[in-house]
Each structure stands twice: as structure tokens, then as C-alpha cells.
Amino acid sequence: TKIMMGEMVFLKSFSSEIEAEIVKGMLEDNGIACVLRNSNMSSILGNIGAMNVDLLVNQEDLSEAQKLVDNHS
């Protein structure tokens, strides 16, 4: 995934979209652009209950974002 700011890289996966949105908001409040990507292939396989949401950040923000997520947990 690429957006204008640079290459987006994987930061963390969540089993809850709500939790992912909370962390996304915290990162954005700290000036870190991020996107959520639904990595759910399970609905195709018939298991709708198992959904993962990946959080992606700009490559250059990865270190700072990781520190913020670690402190938030």
C-alpha cells in the first residue's frame, strides 16, 4: 500500500476493529498517519467470527509508532 507520504508498513494486527480504531486515533493524535486494513479472509472460508485488522504506518514513523503502541498497551 502506498500513499503520498511514503511506503506504508505493518505495525500491528488486532482481533477487534474497535481496539484498532482506538490505537489509530492515539497515533493520529501524536501526528502519525496510519491506515487500517481488514485482513479478513475468513468470511470467504465461512468463519465470520475471526476477523483481523492490520494497522499500517509510514515506514519513517514505524519506530515512533511502535514506542507509542508499546506504551499504550
Side-chain angles (χ1 to χ4, degrees):
T1 303
K2 289 202 181 239
I3 62 172
M4 288 172 57
M5 290 170 271
E7 184 175 353
M8 300 299 278
V9 294
F10 175 83
L11 175 63
K12 187 171 180 170
S13 186
F14 299 89
S15 58
S16 160
E17 188 172 355
I18 294 169
E19 183 184 4
E21 288 284 356
I22 290 169
V23 174
K24 179 180 185 278
M26 181 269 299
L27 290 174
E28 289 173 340
D29 287 347
N30 283 278
I32 296 178
C34 50
V35 295
L36 295 178
R37 178 182 66 195
N38 183 339
S39 62
N40 183 18
M41 292 299 292
S42 59
S43 63
I44 295 170
L45 303 175
N47 183 4
I48 296 174
M51 181 173 90
N52 286 327
V53 179
D54 294 338
L55 182 63
L56 307 173
V57 298
N58 286 308
Q59 175 74 51
E60 58 268 24
D61 293 330
L62 183 60
S63 176
E64 181 65 22
Q66 187 64 59
K67 288 178 196 168
L68 289 166
V69 168
D70 289 347
N71 290 335
H72 182 264
S73 300

